[in-house]
Amino acid sequence: MKYVRVLMPISLMIALGGVWLVTSHHEIQATPGEVKLIAPGVWFREGELKDKGHCNNIWIEMKDYLIVVDANFPSGAEACLADIKKTTQKPVKYVFDTHHHGDHSYGNPVWTKLGATTLAHVGVTEEMKRYEPKRWQEAAKERKDVASLNLSTAELPKQTFKENKMVLDDGSRKVEFHFLGWAHTRGDGFVYLPKEKILCTGDAVVNGPYNYMGDGNSANWPNVIEKAKKFDAATILPGHGVPGSKDVLSGQQQFFVELRKAVGAAVKSGKKLEDLVTKQGEKATATSIKLPDSVKNWVDNESLGAQVEVVYKEITMDKPHGEILGGK
């Protein structure tokens, strides 16, 4: 794999180290496309979600190589690669797909073409087999970066693990990969750095109103986050939104608790879906459900209607929406 050699001035490294010291215990202010040093050898790039649909990326320096968290869309992968070259000379050896959605995995061919090994929990490949090639082909009609790869379906991760935990430790740094259960998808993966107390969450935990629930299990989602809280991480690097403290875990968890409580109460009182959600065609556009201000960071009026519809179906059909949508 060929990388441009970029030597960073000592003054810049000192400045970046100062950024880490200042931000390590506070929410890190970032803007899409910018790269932030989270800890020595750990970099965060906020994805251009609004304009390009990109997820966030993290890259972790080991002794002789890099681990990248999430493959992104193809254009996001290229943008991430360009910024990686500005921060380190080391090659990318592993790219971890936190889950199967296109903004986290459709860039797989970009990375493997350069010699990297894409890695994921086996649940990710199972989800891909469940939903592909349909979603890939739909994305190719809308996204030039997907279409330009000239592939008929998504590329599966090259390496998977079945256990709930996998570890990479080269003596310079220990990186743990965890599967904690079905939340956002049936293959959600977390990356934990125990020494640095940094947790990368994919979309199982986001920092803002970015929760897509179509493949999810909202009843079990808070349980997964409860397990994630046991890492006692100081810094949370979400799949979307800016980095934050452990409060991001609690807030995301409480959002689902409040959402299910509100919808459950409406169902118990005899409300029908049409009483709760306004739709234009198949799209939910508004809802009568109100959530408390304590979770407003995760609430967007445009998406709340769809989230209410998902939970209503889960409660009335007594199964996760991912199972309703994709089968067992």
Side-chain angles (χ1 to χ4, degrees):
M1 186 186 310
K2 296 181 179 178
Y3 279 80
V4 177
R5 296 175 65 89
V6 180
L7 300 179
M8 299 184 70
I10 293 176
S11 60
L12 178 57
M13 289 302 297
I14 293 174
L16 290 170
V19 169
W20 172 65
L21 289 173
V22 170
T23 61
S24 60
H25 299 295
H26 302 279
E27 185 174 272
I28 298 164
Q29 298 302 314
T31 56
E34 285 193 356
V35 176
K36 298 292 182 180
L37 184 69
I38 302 301
V42 182
W43 301 84
F44 173 87
R45 184 184 192 278
E46 185 179 358
E48 300 90 340
L49 176 62
K50 184 177 180 180
D51 299 327
K52 300 179 181 179
H54 295 164
C55 72
N56 296 336
N57 283 110
I58 300 99
W59 53 98
I60 303 162
E61 291 193 54
M62 306 297 278
K63 182 178 180 180
D64 299 314
Y65 62 88
L66 302 177
I67 300 169
V68 174
V69 180
D70 278 317
N72 216 313
F73 273 123
S75 57
E78 295 288 357
C80 181
L81 273 165
D83 283 332
I84 286 174
K85 293 175 184 179
K86 298 174 185 176
T87 62
T88 177
Q89 305 168 41
K90 296 176 183 178
V92 177
K93 185 174 182 179
Y94 294 104
V95 178
F96 182 69
D97 293 342
T98 58
H99 60 288
H100 71 282
H101 289 156
D103 58 329
H104 295 259
S105 70
Y106 281 6
N108 280 349
V110 175
W111 301 98
T112 56
K113 185 177 180 180
L114 294 174
T117 297
T118 44
L119 171 68
H121 185 264
V122 69
V124 174
T125 61
E126 291 171 351
E127 289 280 69
M128 282 186 167
K129 292 174 181 178
R130 188 172 282 115
Y131 295 112
E132 303 297 356
K134 181 180 179 181
R135 292 186 180 181
W136 175 272
Q137 293 171 356
E138 289 174 347
K141 294 177 182 177
E142 300 177 356
R143 296 188 60 97
K144 292 182 179 179
D145 59 341
V146 175
S148 66
L149 293 178
N150 295 314
L151 298 174
S152 61
T153 191
E155 182 178 282
L156 300 179
K158 299 298 185 182
Q159 181 178 338
T160 60
F161 61 97
K162 294 182 179 180
E163 301 78 14
N164 291 338
K165 179 179 178 181
M166 174 182 166
V167 177
L168 290 175
D169 188 342
D170 66 353
S172 68
R173 194 190 302 273
K174 182 179 181 180
V175 180
E176 300 176 358
F177 304 89
H178 292 266
F179 173 72
L180 304 179
W182 185 358
H184 181 61
T185 73
R186 281 178 260 203
D188 292 327
F190 292 76
V191 182
Y192 182 55
L193 280 64
K195 181 179 179 181
E196 298 83 358
K197 300 184 76 66
I198 294 172
L199 182 65
C200 311
T201 65
D203 287 1
V205 178
V206 294
N207 191 3
Y210 310 119
N211 281 301
Y212 170 71
M213 297 171 58
D215 300 331
N217 182 342
S218 71
N220 195 53
W221 209 320
N223 300 329
V224 170
I225 298 174
E226 188 64 28
K227 293 178 183 178
K229 289 166 71 173
K230 292 180 180 179
F231 291 117
D232 195 30
T235 303
I236 307 301
L237 303 182
H240 296 287
V242 300
S245 67
K246 62 183 67 177
D247 291 344
V248 176
L249 297 178
S250 298
Q252 169 89 346
Q253 183 184 45
Q254 191 62 27
F255 167 76
F256 286 104
V257 170
E258 297 292 346
L259 178 60
R260 286 191 61 88
K261 182 169 71 174
V263 177
V267 171
K268 189 175 182 179
S269 70
K271 295 291 181 66
K272 304 298 183 183
L273 181 59
E274 53 267 30
D275 299 323
L276 304 179
V277 176
T278 301
K279 301 184 72 172
Q280 291 183 356
E282 294 298 315
K283 183 179 180 181
T285 57
T287 179
S288 59
I289 292 291
K290 304 295 182 183
L291 299 184
D293 286 346
S294 59
V295 297
K296 65 181 180 180
N297 180 57
W298 289 268
V299 176
D300 176 77
N301 291 332
E302 292 185 9
S303 58
L304 184 59
Q307 294 164 341
V308 168
E309 182 175 6
V310 165
V311 174
Y312 182 92
K313 290 179 179 178
E314 287 184 319
I315 292 174
T316 56
M317 298 174 71
D318 195 26
K319 61 178 66 175
H321 196 267
E323 187 175 318
I324 297 170
L325 191 67
K328 291 186 177 180

